[in-house]
């Protein structure tokens, strides 16, 4: 899901979508060519919702289970912005050392 969310949207290069009467395949080919040209120029892909610097995982009972979805989601070849800070809220049943329990489970 995160990889789909972070992928550039169709037509994100600023090229208009298929005009009335224009076949969608031709418009898509033009958009792909423009995307390839933009990537070749070293530009970062455009996200549908704009740049972001934080990821909030506010599912205390299960957030740790989703951390592995972030592994490889920020490829150095396509992600040129600073890496986002991940906030992961969770529960621990440990009373003596809850921080150590969370770190162990997250790793």
């Amino acid at each position: 899901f995160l990889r789909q969310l972070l992928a550039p949207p169709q037509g994100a290069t600023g090229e208009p979508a298929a005009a009335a009467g224009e076949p969608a395949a031709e418009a898509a080919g033009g958009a792909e060519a423009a995307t390839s040209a933009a990537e070749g120029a070293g530009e970062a892909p455009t996200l549908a919702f704009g740049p972001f610097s934080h990821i909030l995982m506010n599912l205390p009972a299960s957030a740790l289970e989703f951390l592995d979805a972030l592994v490889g989601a920020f490829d150095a070849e396509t992600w040129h912005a600073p890496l986002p800070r991940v906030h992961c809220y969770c529960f621990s049943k440990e009373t003596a050392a809850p921080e150590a329990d969370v770190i162990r489970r997250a790793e």
Side-chain angles (χ1 to χ4, degrees):
F1 171 76
L2 285 174
R3 286 176 183 76
Q4 291 174 344
L5 185 63
L6 296 173
Q10 295 293 339
T13 60
E15 294 293 321
E22 181 180 350
E26 290 178 15
E32 288 175 14
T35 301
S36 297
E39 288 174 356
E43 295 179 20
T46 304
L47 301 173
F49 47 82
F52 64 95
S53 59
H54 295 264
I55 296 174
L56 176 64
M57 299 177 78
N58 194 15
L59 300 167
S62 61
L64 291 174
E65 302 298 320
F66 294 102
L67 285 175
D68 64 341
L70 297 173
V71 175
F74 301 98
D75 182 22
E77 293 181 20
T78 57
W79 189 265
H80 302 292
L83 291 174
R85 181 175 299 246
V86 178
H87 303 270
C88 184
Y89 294 89
C90 57
F91 295 130
S92 175
K93 294 180 181 179
E94 289 288 324
T95 56
E99 296 88 0
D101 174 52
V102 169
I103 292 170
R104 179 186 54 77
R105 290 173 29 215
E107 292 177 337

